[in-house]
Amino acid sequence: MTASSILLLFGATGDLSRRMLLPSLFALHEENLVPDDLRIVGTARSELSDQGFREFAAEALTEYLPDDRQDSATIASFLERLEYQPLDASTVEGFDDLAKKLGDISGGIAIFLSTAPFLFEPTIKGLASAGLAGPNVRIGLEKPLGNDLESSRVINDAVAAAFDEDRIFRIDHYLGKETVQNLMALRFANMMFEPLWNANGIEHVQITVSETVGLEGRHDFYDETGALRDMVQNHMLQLLALTAMEAPADFDATSVRDEKVKVLRSLRPVAADEMVRGQYRSGAIDGAAVEGYPDDLGEESRTETFVAIKAHVDNWRWQGVPFYLRTGKRMQERRSEIVVQFKDVPHNIFARRGGKLVANRLVIRLQPEEYVRLMVMAKQPGMDREGVTLREVPLDLSLTQAFARARRRIAYERLLLDLIDGDPTLFVRRDEVEAQWRWIDAIRNVWAEQDVEPKPYGSGSWGPSAAIALAERDGRSWHE
Ligand code: BG6
């Protein structure tokens, strides 16, 4: 595939566009990563002119770019790329005008679709009817792509009616994060981890994505969605798949996604006593009092804002190794990390001299800091007359320090560039999404059948006590 000459942004005046997409596109422009003649055409319902959209974008950049990158000449040259066409995507009528605006599309179009779910189908139909879905057009789809297997199939079928699978780029912004890609480098560009990366060497794995934010104004969307579908179905399962997958033969879209989907299909359906639903109540975050979910929402609700799951990957490599997952809003800290807990050494030679061992642990911190930390045992300096003292010390790889000159990027910079260039490696294939939904739907069925209500937890905590018990009853504890 070759780079497209037009990027067409649906939902161009939305929140994602302001906060993430426009600043990301600016970064690609700033670093000359996109072709000089790339046109960026925004579309949404608002009646804006090209100039109006440029002003909208200029404001977004003023708000979201750090001060040291507010260079007026670079911003002005970026804004020149922008054009705008108002469009009511719910009917096919406006699409001919859009096609007219785009003019010559022989250089190919990359579409980024981030619109309300009910607009997906009409948008695809509109694009097809106006000749904007041909072989040189690819389409990036932002979530939510349905809210269960069935509805995601309806959307996927609608898209497939106009676009071949290799032209469909399903976005999971976690895959655009540098540290998430680094997980593959850590595993497959080093000799020392992989031989132990299985049930012989690993005792259990923990994946935590905790947030301190609450509803962030997304009341309707969030209350209909809940933490399981908002975070686990996509981001957490992608992290799990990258942690658990076999080595792909190549770092290409087919090989990587083939391996991920095998993991997703090996996930065992979760038993009722291996998961916890939670919902935040009032509490304090960073010393500031915050309200509970029902107050934030303005009504009582049974939607979960927290989930903890003990997951099992039923294959040879992972037999008997649980993957503990937890995610929630209004938790104590913002933190995304993968913790790989290795097994104990087979025999402690220091035992008779009082030396106590702690099993090795690998912590892969994705955010807010970015590091990989291997906890290893070392001898405390001394003459050891009273016995040997062993201590756990970190072998630290701070990515922020090791690559101090590299700017930390927004995940969307990478994803937009790959979409424009046509590289689908970091996008989610249909069979992956369906395997994810199948597992998530089964969890929701258990909740529905057993009428599982979310358990309350105080804002600023690590979730309901039942989530702590989920690990502790196995003699394990969450890494905090
Ligand atoms: C989004 C969810 O997909 O991911 C949000 O809809 C969540 O609820 C966000 O806050 C978290 O992303 P990040 O990159 O801040 O970890």
Side-chain angles (χ1 to χ4, degrees):
M1 280 191 168
T2 46
S4 312
S5 63
I6 301 175
L7 176 69
L8 176 57
L9 280 186
F10 279 83
T13 55
D15 197 44
L16 184 72
S17 170
R18 240 163 33 94
R19 285 191 301 126
M20 299 286 174
L21 306 181
L22 290 166
S24 298
L25 290 167
F26 173 77
L28 300 179
H29 169 84
E30 194 183 21
E31 293 181 43
N32 295 317
L33 290 168
V34 286
D36 285 344
D37 55 357
L38 176 81
R39 295 164 59 198
I40 300 174
V41 183
T43 166
R45 277 180 81 117
S46 322
E47 288 290 336
L48 291 179
S49 60
D50 289 347
Q51 190 48 33
F53 183 51
R54 288 179 187 146
E55 282 161 18
F56 170 86
E59 277 169 29
L61 297 182
T62 311
E63 192 169 348
Y64 292 105
L65 278 186
D67 288 348
D68 61 347
R69 289 173 54 218
Q70 300 270 359
D71 177 73
S72 51
T74 319
I75 292 182
S77 61
F78 170 70
L79 296 178
E80 275 171 29
R81 290 183 187 270
L82 303 187
E83 298 166 51
Y84 185 84
Q85 175 68 32
L87 175 73
D88 172 2
S90 65
T91 73
V92 293
E93 276 121 52
F95 282 84
D96 283 335
D97 288 339
L98 177 64
K100 231 177 266 155
K101 175 87 179 183
L102 297 181
D104 177 11
I105 58 164
S106 58
I109 314 176
I111 299 174
F112 188 105
L113 196 56
S114 85
T115 44
F118 75 93
L119 286 175
F120 262 106
E121 267 191 83
T123 304
I124 304 292
K125 284 203 181 114
L127 287 166
S129 78
L132 298 175
N136 64 351
V137 183
R138 46 185 165 259
I139 187 160
L141 305 175
E142 181 56 77
K143 66 167 235 192
L145 293 179
N147 51 22
D148 56 14
L149 178 60
E150 204 185 315
S151 55
S152 90
R153 278 192 174 146
V154 170
I155 291 177
N156 280 321
D157 284 344
V159 183
F163 294 86
D164 301 332
E165 178 64 28
D166 63 358
R167 293 190 286 121
I168 303 174
F169 289 58
R170 293 178 196 81
I171 293 158
D172 182 319
H173 80 277
Y174 264 57
L175 296 178
K177 290 182 191 273
E178 197 66 55
T179 19
V180 174
Q181 296 156 41
N182 213 8
L183 184 57
M184 280 186 274
L186 185 78
R187 290 192 56 197
F188 304 124
N190 293 294
M191 185 59 205
M192 65 244 248
F193 297 113
E194 212 41 32
L196 285 179
W197 207 265
N198 52 46
N200 296 327
I202 293 179
E203 211 268 332
H204 76 273
V205 177
Q206 299 183 8
I207 303 179
T208 295
V209 179
S210 57
E211 298 184 280
T212 52
V213 294
L215 271 179
E216 291 186 295
R218 299 189 305 167
H219 295 53
D220 294 345
F221 164 76
Y222 195 86
D223 199 54
E224 274 165 30
T225 308
L228 181 72
R229 295 189 282 189
D230 188 39
M231 297 297 285
V232 183
Q233 182 269 333
N234 40 23
H235 311 321
M236 299 206 65
L237 284 185
Q238 285 293 325
L239 295 180
L240 184 150
L242 291 169
T243 308
M245 71 182 181
E246 299 300 314
D250 203 338
F251 187 52
D252 66 31
T254 305
S255 313
V256 172
R257 299 188 295 181
D258 282 353
E259 296 308 334
K260 283 194 295 171
V261 78
K262 283 189 218 161
V263 173
L264 297 167
R265 288 190 184 134
S266 313
L267 284 166
R268 186 190 304 169
V270 188
D273 62 349
E274 296 198 324
M275 51 195 172
V276 175
R277 286 183 94 188
Q279 191 187 77
Y280 66 80
R281 293 289 181 266
S282 59
I285 307 250
D286 286 333
V290 293
E291 306 232 76
Y293 185 76
D295 292 318
D296 280 352
L297 191 68
E299 58 185 313
E300 291 296 320
S301 157
R302 292 182 54 135
T303 299
E304 81 285 351
T305 63
F306 172 97
V307 206
I309 297 172
K310 181 177 172 187
H312 304 268
V313 180
D314 273 339
N315 61 18
W316 273 44
R317 184 189 277 257
W318 295 113
Q319 215 33 239
V321 183
F323 284 70
Y324 295 91
L325 315 179
R326 64 174 172 171
T327 183
K329 301 273 184 205
R330 288 282 191 237
M331 291 177 65
Q332 193 169 106
E333 267 178 32
R334 173 168 186 254
R335 180 196 291 186
S336 302
E337 73 180 8
I338 301 167
V339 177
V340 177
Q341 177 65 60
F342 289 95
K343 289 199 162 159
D344 288 326
V345 295
H347 169 65
N348 177 5
I349 65 162
F350 302 101
R352 291 211 293 174
R353 290 179 181 240
K356 294 197 179 62
L357 300 185
V358 181
N360 298 134
R361 194 168 64 239
L362 181 72
V363 181
I364 303 163
R365 176 66 63 91
L366 311 172
Q367 55 193 29
E369 311 91 346
E370 300 185 349
Y371 61 74
V372 178
R373 184 172 288 167
L374 182 61
M375 302 306 291
V376 294
M377 294 310 292
K379 187 181 100 60
Q380 186 158 305
M383 297 306 194
D384 305 335
R385 309 312 286 163
E386 311 294 325
V388 180
T389 308
L390 297 162
R391 273 221 347 247
E392 207 183 19
V393 291
L395 252 180
D396 240 324
L397 169 60
S398 157
L399 300 168
T400 332
Q401 267 172 30
F403 302 105
R405 290 177 48 204
R407 180 174 62 78
R408 279 183 81 172
R409 294 176 181 282
I410 309 174
Y412 285 99
E413 293 179 35
R414 173 65 191 257
L415 298 178
L416 281 163
L417 185 62
D418 285 358
L419 173 67
I420 294 165
D421 280 350
D423 181 350
T425 312
L426 300 178
F427 295 83
V428 187
R429 210 166 55 189
R430 178 169 183 162
D431 52 357
E432 288 180 77
V433 179
E434 295 192 348
Q436 290 170 342
W437 277 123
R438 212 167 278 122
W439 191 69
I440 294 292
D441 284 0
I443 293 176
R444 292 186 51 243
N445 286 342
V446 172
W447 288 350
E449 278 160 16
Q450 309 202 2
D451 203 20
V452 178
E453 281 211 50
K455 296 190 162 48
Y457 62 97
S459 286
S461 72
W462 282 106
S465 51
I468 297 163
L470 184 68
E472 290 200 338
R473 68 173 188 228
D474 297 338
R476 301 175 175 122
S477 50
W478 291 100
H479 183 242
E480 268 148 27

